[in-house]
Amino acid sequence: MKTVWVALLLAAGLLVGCQSTSALNQGSGSSQDPATGMEGHVYRGPVVPVCTENTPCDAPFSGGFVVWKYGIEVARFRSDEKGYFKVALEPGSYTVTLDDKTQVGLPMRQMQSVAVKEGGMTQVTLSFDTGIR
């Protein structure tokens, strides 16, 4: 009976460890400095073939994104229907791409470079090309 309890405790510990790793990959960032990261809005555009003064060329973009550092995935996040997002990250240089389920128009892999600064959330605007011309 004692062996069963030990096995259950070990399994519970593994589940907690997996949950923390999953949370990091969902954009909760590092537990060392959760007050840093990036937040802002994502836009896609152009959304019309000809831009005019009364018709905006870009629109907020709701989708899933992956954050990379040195080619390693470090976080994932989603922007809402207004294009807003917030993701905790340690200070440093990152690359943001669309996740595999999110499409913006052009079939090529689009990347945005972001530098997260120390001392708070870095405000960024991410733009992805739809290919409409």
Side-chain angles (χ1 to χ4, degrees):
M1 187 65 156
K2 191 175 187 179
T3 306
V4 172
W5 280 109
V6 170
L8 286 173
L9 288 173
L10 286 172
L14 287 173
L15 286 174
V16 169
C18 290
Q19 186 176 14
S20 328
T21 301
S22 175
L24 284 175
N25 289 334
Q26 292 302 319
S28 66
S30 167
S31 59
Q32 293 177 6
D33 193 357
T36 62
M38 63 178 171
E39 73 176 318
H41 289 86
V42 184
Y43 294 94
R44 62 184 173 89
V47 293
V48 293
V50 178
C51 300
T52 63
E53 190 173 321
N54 297 327
T55 306
C57 275
D58 297 335
F61 185 46
S62 174
F65 302 88
V66 182
V67 182
W68 305 88
K69 186 168 189 166
Y70 305 121
I72 299 170
E73 179 181 320
V74 295
R76 286 181 176 259
F77 67 91
R78 289 198 62 78
S79 57
D80 66 16
E81 65 280 348
K82 294 180 181 176
Y84 175 77
F85 70 92
K86 184 175 185 178
V87 59
L89 297 163
E90 293 181 10
S93 297
Y94 297 92
T95 301
V96 179
T97 63
L98 303 166
D99 69 14
D100 292 336
K101 296 177 184 175
T102 301
Q103 297 198 6
V104 72
L106 289 175
M108 63 185 213
R109 185 90 164 164
Q110 296 185 49
M111 297 180 274
Q112 301 281 308
S113 296
V114 177
V116 173
K117 300 174 186 167
E118 293 183 19
M121 298 303 283
T122 301
Q123 300 296 313
V124 298
T125 299
L126 302 174
S127 298
F128 291 91
D129 192 350
T130 60
I132 297 174
R133 301 287 186 268

